[in-house]
Amino acid sequence: MEQRDRFLALVRRNPVNEAILLRGAALGVPDWWLTAGAVFQTVWNVLDGRDPGAGIADYDFFYYDSSDLSYEAEDAVIRRAHGLFADLGVTVEVRNEARVHLWYEARFGVPGVRFTGSTDAIDHFASTTCCFGVSRTVGGELVDYAPHGYADLFTKRVRPNPRLAPRAVYEAKARRWQREWPDLVVDPWPDPP
C-alpha cells in the first residue's frame, strides 16, 4: 500500500474524522480541510493500537473565504458547524484562515501573516509533522495535503517548523504530545544562525 493510501486509511479509522469528512461540504464554505491533531494524532493512535480518538483535544476544520473577513461571517459558519457536528460529541474548531492575521499576534505574541489559502495556513503549523489536511472534492473523492510527506508521521518523529509559530508554542505542543504518545522522537528547536 502506498504511503498516501495508508495515511488516508488510518485517518478514516477515526469515526469522527469520517463523519466530518462526509458532512464537511454541507457547510458550503470554500477550500475546507480537516487538519492538525484530528489527522496526525489519529494516525499515531492507530499505529499504537489505541482508540483512534484518544488524546485528541479538538478537530480542526479550516476553510478559506476572503470575501468577508468579519467575525460575524465566521461566527455564522461556526454556528452552522455546531449544529452539523453536534451529535459527534467532540469539539470541532472551525476557523476561516483568511482571518487569522487579524488575531494571531494577540494570541501567540508574534505577528501573523496573511495566508493565501487553507493549505498555506497548514504550511505554517509549529511542526512539519502536523502539516496534513484531508478534504473531499465536489465529486466526493478524498484528497490529502502532505507537503512534507509521510515518513515522519509514520515513524512518529516531530520536527519544528519555524516559519511562524514561536519556539515556546512548538515546545509546549511537543511536551503535551510526548505525554500522550511517549515514544515520539522530538527534534529540538533550531538554534538561531
Side-chain angles (χ1 to χ4, degrees):
M1 179 184 294
E2 289 184 30
Q3 286 191 325
R4 177 188 181 271
D5 294 339
R6 181 181 181 211
F7 166 74
L8 290 173
L10 295 178
V11 168
R12 294 178 73 191
R13 295 266 303 270
N14 184 334
V16 173
N17 286 347
E18 184 72 359
I20 292 170
L21 290 167
L22 287 171
R23 300 176 194 177
L27 284 175
V29 293
D31 192 16
W32 67 268
W33 295 85
L34 177 65
T35 188
V39 175
F40 71 88
Q41 291 172 15
T42 290
V43 171
W44 290 345
N45 283 333
V46 175
L47 292 174
D48 284 355
R50 299 173 69 194
D51 177 285
I56 298 175
D58 55 38
Y59 289 74
D60 289 293
F61 185 98
F62 284 9
Y63 71 98
Y64 188 89
D65 185 356
S66 60
S67 68
D68 186 343
L69 298 184
S70 71
Y71 169 78
E72 292 75 18
E74 182 181 45
D75 190 53
V77 175
I78 291 168
R79 283 185 275 113
R80 287 197 319 268
H82 179 73
L84 183 64
F85 302 126
D87 65 309
L88 300 179
V90 299
T91 299
V92 179
E93 188 164 299
V94 176
R95 292 291 175 262
N96 181 0
E97 295 303 304
R99 296 188 71 251
V100 171
H101 66 284
L102 300 174
W103 53 260
Y104 191 90
E105 186 170 10
R107 181 163 178 200
F108 295 109
V110 296
V113 297
R114 188 181 290 255
F115 298 134
T116 59
S118 290
T119 56
D120 186 29
I122 291 169
D123 288 341
H124 286 81
F125 284 157
S127 169
T128 59
T129 317
C130 305
C131 296
F132 290 96
V134 181
S135 188
R136 285 194 183 274
T137 65
V138 173
E141 180 183 342
L142 279 178
V143 292
D144 73 310
Y145 183 69
H148 304 283
Y150 307 94
D152 284 346
L153 178 66
F154 292 141
T155 60
K156 297 170 70 181
R157 181 175 202 124
V158 178
R159 295 181 194 266
N161 185 23
R163 291 184 69 176
L164 177 61
R167 177 181 190 155
V169 169
Y170 170 76
E171 291 175 344
K173 287 179 179 290
R175 279 191 304 274
R176 185 184 87 72
W177 298 334
Q178 273 194 308
R179 283 191 301 273
E180 192 69 38
W181 297 275
D183 62 337
L184 291 179
V185 174
V186 176
D187 288 2
W189 190 263
D191 290 328

mmCIF file of all heavy atoms in Angstrom, residues 136-170:
data_model
loop_
_atom_site.group_PDB
_atom_site.id
_atom_site.type_symbol
_atom_site.label_atom_id
_atom_site.label_comp_id
_atom_site.label_asym_id
_atom_site.label_seq_id
_atom_site.Cartn_x
_atom_site.Cartn_y
_atom_site.Cartn_z
ATOM 1 N N ARG A 136 -12.558 16.599 0.693
ATOM 2 C CA ARG A 136 -13.236 15.866 -0.389
ATOM 3 C C ARG A 136 -13.469 16.813 -1.554
ATOM 4 O O ARG A 136 -13.765 17.993 -1.350
ATOM 5 C CB ARG A 136 -14.588 15.322 0.081
ATOM 6 C CG ARG A 136 -14.490 14.133 0.986
ATOM 7 C CD ARG A 136 -15.856 13.456 1.135
ATOM 8 N NE ARG A 136 -15.778 12.348 2.049
ATOM 9 C CZ ARG A 136 -15.428 11.104 1.714
ATOM 10 N NH1 ARG A 136 -15.129 10.815 0.479
ATOM 11 N NH2 ARG A 136 -15.394 10.151 2.619
ATOM 12 N N THR A 137 -13.380 16.254 -2.743
ATOM 13 C CA THR A 137 -13.711 17.026 -3.934
ATOM 14 C C THR A 137 -15.230 17.158 -4.024
ATOM 15 O O THR A 137 -15.968 16.492 -3.291
ATOM 16 C CB THR A 137 -13.199 16.324 -5.201
ATOM 17 O OG1 THR A 137 -13.908 15.086 -5.350
ATOM 18 C CG2 THR A 137 -11.702 16.088 -5.147
ATOM 19 N N VAL A 138 -15.684 17.976 -4.935
ATOM 20 C CA VAL A 138 -17.121 18.122 -5.170
ATOM 21 C C VAL A 138 -17.733 16.762 -5.512
ATOM 22 O O VAL A 138 -18.854 16.459 -5.132
ATOM 23 C CB VAL A 138 -17.384 19.161 -6.285
ATOM 24 C CG1 VAL A 138 -18.851 19.205 -6.663
ATOM 25 C CG2 VAL A 138 -16.904 20.533 -5.854
ATOM 26 N N GLY A 139 -16.966 15.914 -6.189
ATOM 27 C CA GLY A 139 -17.444 14.588 -6.544
ATOM 28 C C GLY A 139 -17.338 13.565 -5.420
ATOM 29 O O GLY A 139 -17.711 12.409 -5.601
ATOM 30 N N GLY A 140 -16.824 13.975 -4.261
ATOM 31 C CA GLY A 140 -16.757 13.094 -3.101
ATOM 32 C C GLY A 140 -15.452 12.334 -2.927
ATOM 33 O O GLY A 140 -15.296 11.570 -1.973
ATOM 34 N N GLU A 141 -14.478 12.539 -3.814
ATOM 35 C CA GLU A 141 -13.195 11.843 -3.708
ATOM 36 C C GLU A 141 -12.350 12.462 -2.603
ATOM 37 O O GLU A 141 -12.260 13.688 -2.479
ATOM 38 C CB GLU A 141 -12.451 11.934 -5.041
ATOM 39 C CG GLU A 141 -11.113 11.243 -5.034
ATOM 40 C CD GLU A 141 -10.365 11.417 -6.354
ATOM 41 O OE1 GLU A 141 -11.000 11.763 -7.366
ATOM 42 O OE2 GLU A 141 -9.147 11.208 -6.349
ATOM 43 N N LEU A 142 -11.725 11.612 -1.778
ATOM 44 C CA LEU A 142 -10.831 12.110 -0.745
ATOM 45 C C LEU A 142 -9.571 12.690 -1.369
ATOM 46 O O LEU A 142 -9.008 12.117 -2.308
ATOM 47 C CB LEU A 142 -10.412 10.982 0.204
ATOM 48 C CG LEU A 142 -11.385 10.610 1.296
ATOM 49 C CD1 LEU A 142 -10.826 9.447 2.110
ATOM 50 C CD2 LEU A 142 -11.679 11.779 2.218
ATOM 51 N N VAL A 143 -9.155 13.832 -0.849
ATOM 52 C CA VAL A 143 -7.892 14.449 -1.242
ATOM 53 C C VAL A 143 -7.107 14.729 0.022
ATOM 54 O O VAL A 143 -7.684 14.936 1.098
ATOM 55 C CB VAL A 143 -8.104 15.741 -2.057
ATOM 56 C CG1 VAL A 143 -8.697 15.440 -3.417
ATOM 57 C CG2 VAL A 143 -8.956 16.748 -1.309
ATOM 58 N N ASP A 144 -5.787 14.689 -0.104
ATOM 59 C CA ASP A 144 -4.961 14.987 1.065
ATOM 60 C C ASP A 144 -3.923 16.029 0.701
ATOM 61 O O ASP A 144 -3.620 16.261 -0.461
ATOM 62 C CB ASP A 144 -4.312 13.719 1.619
ATOM 63 C CG ASP A 144 -3.198 13.213 0.741
ATOM 64 O OD1 ASP A 144 -3.410 13.083 -0.483
ATOM 65 O OD2 ASP A 144 -2.107 12.938 1.270
ATOM 66 N N TYR A 145 -3.404 16.652 1.737
ATOM 67 C CA TYR A 145 -2.331 17.622 1.596
ATOM 68 C C TYR A 145 -1.247 17.204 2.580
ATOM 69 O O TYR A 145 -1.514 17.082 3.782
ATOM 70 C CB TYR A 145 -2.845 19.033 1.907
ATOM 71 C CG TYR A 145 -1.787 20.090 1.712
ATOM 72 C CD1 TYR A 145 -1.329 20.393 0.438
ATOM 73 C CD2 TYR A 145 -1.253 20.766 2.795
ATOM 74 C CE1 TYR A 145 -0.348 21.359 0.245
ATOM 75 C CE2 TYR A 145 -0.276 21.735 2.607
ATOM 76 C CZ TYR A 145 0.175 22.028 1.343
ATOM 77 O OH TYR A 145 1.142 22.979 1.149
ATOM 78 N N ALA A 146 -0.066 16.942 2.063
ATOM 79 C CA ALA A 146 1.046 16.445 2.879
ATOM 80 C C ALA A 146 2.350 17.031 2.340
ATOM 81 O O ALA A 146 3.139 16.336 1.701
ATOM 82 C CB ALA A 146 1.076 14.921 2.851
ATOM 83 N N PRO A 147 2.612 18.312 2.589
ATOM 84 C CA PRO A 147 3.753 18.976 1.961
ATOM 85 C C PRO A 147 5.118 18.425 2.382
ATOM 86 O O PRO A 147 6.096 18.609 1.662
ATOM 87 C CB PRO A 147 3.591 20.440 2.386
ATOM 88 C CG PRO A 147 2.805 20.380 3.653
ATOM 89 C CD PRO A 147 1.863 19.218 3.465
ATOM 90 N N HIS A 148 5.195 17.749 3.516
ATOM 91 C CA HIS A 148 6.475 17.202 3.982
ATOM 92 C C HIS A 148 6.515 15.680 3.873
ATOM 93 O O HIS A 148 7.412 15.041 4.418
ATOM 94 C CB HIS A 148 6.740 17.639 5.431
ATOM 95 C CG HIS A 148 6.719 19.127 5.592
ATOM 96 N ND1 HIS A 148 7.765 19.939 5.205
ATOM 97 C CD2 HIS A 148 5.754 19.963 6.047
ATOM 98 C CE1 HIS A 148 7.451 21.198 5.435
ATOM 99 N NE2 HIS A 148 6.237 21.242 5.941
ATOM 100 N N GLY A 149 5.541 15.111 3.222
ATOM 101 C CA GLY A 149 5.496 13.668 3.075
ATOM 102 C C GLY A 149 4.987 12.987 4.337
ATOM 103 O O GLY A 149 4.496 13.631 5.266
ATOM 104 N N TYR A 150 5.117 11.674 4.353
ATOM 105 C CA TYR A 150 4.510 10.858 5.405
ATOM 106 C C TYR A 150 5.519 10.184 6.335
ATOM 107 O O TYR A 150 5.147 9.638 7.354
ATOM 108 C CB TYR A 150 3.652 9.755 4.768
ATOM 109 C CG TYR A 150 2.651 10.271 3.781
ATOM 110 C CD1 TYR A 150 2.950 10.325 2.426
ATOM 111 C CD2 TYR A 150 1.405 10.718 4.206
ATOM 112 C CE1 TYR A 150 2.027 10.806 1.517
ATOM 113 C CE2 TYR A 150 0.488 11.200 3.295
ATOM 114 C CZ TYR A 150 0.807 11.251 1.947
ATOM 115 O OH TYR A 150 -0.101 11.735 1.057
ATOM 116 N N ALA A 151 6.801 10.193 5.978
ATOM 117 C CA ALA A 151 7.799 9.405 6.709
ATOM 118 C C ALA A 151 7.837 9.759 8.192
ATOM 119 O O ALA A 151 7.805 8.868 9.048
ATOM 120 C CB ALA A 151 9.177 9.568 6.077
ATOM 121 N N ASP A 152 7.926 11.050 8.520
ATOM 122 C CA ASP A 152 7.994 11.440 9.936
ATOM 123 C C ASP A 152 6.729 11.058 10.683
ATOM 124 O O ASP A 152 6.775 10.661 11.844
ATOM 125 C CB ASP A 152 8.243 12.940 10.082
ATOM 126 C CG ASP A 152 9.685 13.331 9.789
ATOM 127 O OD1 ASP A 152 10.553 12.446 9.734
ATOM 128 O OD2 ASP A 152 9.933 14.543 9.611
ATOM 129 N N LEU A 153 5.600 11.167 10.034
ATOM 130 C CA LEU A 153 4.337 10.799 10.674
ATOM 131 C C LEU A 153 4.348 9.322 11.053
ATOM 132 O O LEU A 153 4.038 8.957 12.186
ATOM 133 C CB LEU A 153 3.163 11.101 9.741
ATOM 134 C CG LEU A 153 1.781 10.731 10.271
ATOM 135 C CD1 LEU A 153 1.413 11.590 11.471
ATOM 136 C CD2 LEU A 153 0.752 10.877 9.160
ATOM 137 N N PHE A 154 4.725 8.468 10.122
ATOM 138 C CA PHE A 154 4.690 7.028 10.362
ATOM 139 C C PHE A 154 5.791 6.564 11.328
ATOM 140 O O PHE A 154 5.624 5.550 11.999
ATOM 141 C CB PHE A 154 4.778 6.255 9.051
ATOM 142 C CG PHE A 154 3.560 6.404 8.185
ATOM 143 C CD1 PHE A 154 3.679 6.523 6.813
ATOM 144 C CD2 PHE A 154 2.281 6.438 8.719
ATOM 145 C CE1 PHE A 154 2.557 6.657 5.999
ATOM 146 C CE2 PHE A 154 1.156 6.578 7.924
ATOM 147 C CZ PHE A 154 1.307 6.684 6.558
ATOM 148 N N THR A 155 6.898 7.304 11.406
ATOM 149 C CA THR A 155 7.961 6.944 12.363
ATOM 150 C C THR A 155 7.811 7.705 13.678
ATOM 151 O O THR A 155 8.639 7.542 14.579
ATOM 152 C CB THR A 155 9.362 7.191 11.772
ATOM 153 O OG1 THR A 155 9.497 8.582 11.443
ATOM 154 C CG2 THR A 155 9.592 6.339 10.536
ATOM 155 N N LYS A 156 6.780 8.550 13.756
ATOM 156 C CA LYS A 156 6.456 9.315 14.967
ATOM 157 C C LYS A 156 7.608 10.236 15.382
ATOM 158 O O LYS A 156 8.009 10.296 16.527
ATOM 159 C CB LYS A 156 6.021 8.374 16.091
ATOM 160 C CG LYS A 156 4.742 7.628 15.698
ATOM 161 C CD LYS A 156 4.378 6.538 16.631
ATOM 162 C CE LYS A 156 3.912 7.105 17.933
ATOM 163 N NZ LYS A 156 3.570 6.051 18.877
ATOM 164 N N ARG A 157 8.099 10.958 14.401
ATOM 165 C CA ARG A 157 9.149 11.945 14.624
ATOM 166 C C ARG A 157 8.549 13.339 14.469
ATOM 167 O O ARG A 157 7.892 13.629 13.470
ATOM 168 C CB ARG A 157 10.285 11.756 13.634
ATOM 169 C CG ARG A 157 11.394 12.743 13.869
ATOM 170 C CD ARG A 157 12.588 12.485 12.978
ATOM 171 N NE ARG A 157 13.739 13.103 13.602
ATOM 172 C CZ ARG A 157 14.837 12.476 13.909
ATOM 173 N NH1 ARG A 157 14.968 11.205 13.629
ATOM 174 N NH2 ARG A 157 15.821 13.128 14.486
ATOM 175 N N VAL A 158 8.772 14.199 15.456
ATOM 176 C CA VAL A 158 8.247 15.563 15.465
ATOM 177 C C VAL A 158 9.394 16.519 15.170
ATOM 178 O O VAL A 158 10.401 16.525 15.876
ATOM 179 C CB VAL A 158 7.607 15.887 16.834
ATOM 180 C CG1 VAL A 158 7.113 17.320 16.875
ATOM 181 C CG2 VAL A 158 6.475 14.913 17.131
ATOM 182 N N ARG A 159 9.214 17.301 14.119
ATOM 183 C CA ARG A 159 10.239 18.279 13.723
ATOM 184 C C ARG A 159 9.654 19.688 13.787
ATOM 185 O O ARG A 159 8.501 19.903 13.421
ATOM 186 C CB ARG A 159 10.705 18.015 12.299
ATOM 187 C CG ARG A 159 11.420 16.694 12.111
ATOM 188 C CD ARG A 159 11.876 16.545 10.650
ATOM 189 N NE ARG A 159 12.252 15.183 10.357
ATOM 190 C CZ ARG A 159 13.495 14.721 10.439
ATOM 191 N NH1 ARG A 159 14.466 15.522 10.823
ATOM 192 N NH2 ARG A 159 13.760 13.466 10.136
ATOM 193 N N PRO A 160 10.468 20.655 14.221
ATOM 194 C CA PRO A 160 9.980 22.036 14.275
ATOM 195 C C PRO A 160 9.804 22.631 12.881
ATOM 196 O O PRO A 160 10.463 22.219 11.922
ATOM 197 C CB PRO A 160 11.072 22.769 15.054
ATOM 198 C CG PRO A 160 12.304 21.952 14.861
ATOM 199 C CD PRO A 160 11.854 20.530 14.687
ATOM 200 N N ASN A 161 8.915 23.587 12.808
ATOM 201 C CA ASN A 161 8.651 24.319 11.569
ATOM 202 C C ASN A 161 8.667 25.810 11.922
ATOM 203 O O ASN A 161 7.627 26.406 12.170
ATOM 204 C CB ASN A 161 7.283 23.911 10.999
ATOM 205 C CG ASN A 161 7.003 24.545 9.656
ATOM 206 O OD1 ASN A 161 7.911 24.942 8.938
ATOM 207 N ND2 ASN A 161 5.732 24.650 9.303
ATOM 208 N N PRO A 162 9.855 26.410 11.983
ATOM 209 C CA PRO A 162 9.955 27.784 12.497
ATOM 210 C C PRO A 162 9.536 28.877 11.525
ATOM 211 O O PRO A 162 10.084 29.969 11.533
ATOM 212 C CB PRO A 162 11.434 27.900 12.871
ATOM 213 C CG PRO A 162 12.142 26.905 12.028
ATOM 214 C CD PRO A 162 11.154 25.805 11.721
ATOM 215 N N ARG A 163 8.529 28.623 10.716
ATOM 216 C CA ARG A 163 8.052 29.629 9.760
ATOM 217 C C ARG A 163 7.261 30.736 10.428
ATOM 218 O O ARG A 163 7.310 31.878 10.004
ATOM 219 C CB ARG A 163 7.177 28.972 8.699
ATOM 220 C CG ARG A 163 7.947 28.062 7.770
ATOM 221 C CD ARG A 163 7.076 27.516 6.693
ATOM 222 N NE ARG A 163 6.683 28.592 5.778
ATOM 223 C CZ ARG A 163 5.971 28.390 4.687
ATOM 224 N NH1 ARG A 163 5.561 27.176 4.392
ATOM 225 N NH2 ARG A 163 5.643 29.386 3.909
ATOM 226 N N LEU A 164 6.458 30.397 11.437
ATOM 227 C CA LEU A 164 5.583 31.391 12.050
ATOM 228 C C LEU A 164 5.475 31.200 13.556
ATOM 229 O O LEU A 164 5.699 32.127 14.324
ATOM 230 C CB LEU A 164 4.190 31.327 11.411
ATOM 231 C CG LEU A 164 3.131 32.264 11.992
ATOM 232 C CD1 LEU A 164 3.558 33.730 11.835
ATOM 233 C CD2 LEU A 164 1.782 32.041 11.322
ATOM 234 N N ALA A 165 5.094 30.018 13.987
ATOM 235 C CA ALA A 165 4.864 29.780 15.416
ATOM 236 C C ALA A 165 6.157 30.000 16.204
ATOM 237 O O ALA A 165 7.232 29.603 15.760
ATOM 238 C CB ALA A 165 4.352 28.360 15.637
ATOM 239 N N PRO A 166 6.058 30.611 17.368
ATOM 240 C CA PRO A 166 7.259 30.795 18.183
ATOM 241 C C PRO A 166 7.712 29.488 18.829
ATOM 242 O O PRO A 166 6.957 28.528 18.962
ATOM 243 C CB PRO A 166 6.823 31.821 19.235
ATOM 244 C CG PRO A 166 5.341 31.810 19.222
ATOM 245 C CD PRO A 166 4.885 31.267 17.912
ATOM 246 N N ARG A 167 8.963 29.477 19.234
ATOM 247 C CA ARG A 167 9.587 28.311 19.861
ATOM 248 C C ARG A 167 8.753 27.781 21.022
ATOM 249 O O ARG A 167 8.565 26.572 21.180
ATOM 250 C CB ARG A 167 10.986 28.694 20.332
ATOM 251 C CG ARG A 167 11.716 27.611 21.059
ATOM 252 C CD ARG A 167 13.085 28.079 21.527
ATOM 253 N NE ARG A 167 13.846 26.956 22.015
ATOM 254 C CZ ARG A 167 15.147 26.925 22.037
ATOM 255 N NH1 ARG A 167 15.857 27.950 21.604
ATOM 256 N NH2 ARG A 167 15.772 25.864 22.507
ATOM 257 N N ALA A 168 8.259 28.675 21.866
ATOM 258 C CA ALA A 168 7.501 28.255 23.053
ATOM 259 C C ALA A 168 6.252 27.464 22.663
ATOM 260 O O ALA A 168 5.866 26.517 23.361
ATOM 261 C CB ALA A 168 7.118 29.469 23.896
ATOM 262 N N VAL A 169 5.600 27.827 21.566
ATOM 263 C CA VAL A 169 4.415 27.104 21.112
ATOM 264 C C VAL A 169 4.802 25.693 20.695
ATOM 265 O O VAL A 169 4.164 24.707 21.086
ATOM 266 C CB VAL A 169 3.713 27.864 19.963
ATOM 267 C CG1 VAL A 169 2.636 27.007 19.309
ATOM 268 C CG2 VAL A 169 3.111 29.162 20.475
ATOM 269 N N TYR A 170 5.872 25.573 19.905
ATOM 270 C CA TYR A 170 6.340 24.252 19.474
ATOM 271 C C TYR A 170 6.695 23.389 20.675
ATOM 272 O O TYR A 170 6.275 22.223 20.773
ATOM 273 C CB TYR A 170 7.556 24.397 18.553
ATOM 274 C CG TYR A 170 8.247 23.085 18.259
ATOM 275 C CD1 TYR A 170 7.691 22.181 17.357
ATOM 276 C CD2 TYR A 170 9.444 22.746 18.873
ATOM 277 C CE1 TYR A 170 8.312 20.969 17.077
ATOM 278 C CE2 TYR A 170 10.075 21.541 18.605
ATOM 279 C CZ TYR A 170 9.505 20.660 17.705
ATOM 280 O OH TYR A 170 10.127 19.457 17.433
#
